[in-house]
Amino acid sequence: MDDERPDVLTIGRLADRTGVAVRTLRFWSDEGAVPPVGRSASGYRLYDAGSVARVELVRTLRELGLGLDDVCRVLGGRTTVAEIAGAHVAALDARIRSLKVSRAVLSTVAQRGSTTEETALMNRLARLSAAERKQIIDEFKEEVFGGLDVGPRLRDRLHTFSVELPDDPTPDQVDAWIELAELVRDPGFRARLRTWMELNTPVPGQGRPPGASIWWARQAVQTVEEVRERGVAPEGPEAADILSALFGDADRAAVLRSLEAGIEAGAERYRGLVARVRGQDSSPDASEALEWLARALRAAERS
């Protein structure tokens, strides 16, 4: 009989030779991936040495994630392994990005102890398309920066300002984007930041507004950090000398209004989130230094 010839294998012997279960081989055979080379007199499928090599190839391609349809296309010469592999790399990359987003959302949910509604919102924000994310930022820019009477240099900076989440973001970037998107969609935050911008934006033909250097150049913050490290109290006489060195004869009340507007707006939080989304190293959070400076200015007003 044909199935007794040493060069012919029954499906059972093929399973023994390859280590693939008979049930799996039968399915692959039915789908055309490993067709029999013939039939025995009893109607059983028969295979040969070439079938063994074909089973090994099918198993390899399946372990790499190819579907059986793609495997049959490769074996039938309708496409190449390289072409299929390229398509699968792209699909895997997309899946990896999706899993990173899911991981970041779940990490944020765990840290915040979020409700079901908050979790759904964070997931939607994290999975927005690039165009949808850009629209959120553009609407925010128009409400906060639109119509400001600024010089051409600053106008160009505001026009080109963007916050782009990369195609392959880290969990921290996704987490920062979720928080930033929630923040910039808040009407109260937009209004407070607009007030801060109006108080601190240089106007063409005029000098820098009192206190603007705190936010634009940050020299004041660096100075305050140094005196705080020495333990200088904001209500003490040395603090008054620091204020004189920083602001000279500038309108202290205007400086304080500028400072308080930025603190109330959460400008430091916003700055830090933008840097995190961009994957940039930002300067340390200056909230404590700014609070120290505000206390010093209030103490000076009372004295």
Side-chain angles (χ1 to χ4, degrees), residues 140-150 186-203 209-212 215-216 253-267 270:
F140 163 74
K141 285 169 53 179
E142 178 58 32
E143 187 166 337
V144 174
F145 306 128
L148 287 175
D149 186 14
V150 298
D186 178 5
F189 172 72
R190 292 185 180 191
R192 293 190 298 272
L193 203 65
R194 174 72 185 200
T195 298
W196 170 74
M197 284 295 301
E198 290 172 345
L199 286 171
N200 291 282
T201 301
V203 177
W215 303 101
W216 297 108
V255 172
L256 182 58
R257 283 196 301 274
S258 167
L259 180 58
E260 290 178 328
I263 293 173
E264 184 181 0
Y270 168 73

Side-chain angles (χ1 to χ4, degrees), residues 9-31:
L9 302 172
T10 63
I11 197 168
R13 290 172 61 190
L14 181 62
D16 291 340
R17 183 79 65 87
T18 60
V20 177
V22 169
R23 184 177 180 179
T24 300
L25 290 174
R26 187 175 291 116
F27 174 67
W28 289 356
S29 183
D30 290 342
E31 295 298 313

Side-chain angles (χ1 to χ4, degrees), residues 65-113:
L66 273 67
L68 203 55
D69 287 344
D70 286 336
V71 170
C72 290
R73 290 173 58 211
V74 170
L75 295 175
R78 299 191 301 276
T79 187
T80 66
V81 174
E83 290 170 340
I84 293 294
H88 275 259
V89 167
L92 285 171
D93 285 344
R95 179 60 176 159
I96 289 169
R97 288 194 295 270
S98 178
L99 288 172
K100 285 184 176 180
V101 170
S102 295
R103 184 189 184 284
V105 171
L106 289 172
S107 177
T108 301
V109 168
Q111 291 172 8
R112 295 188 186 183

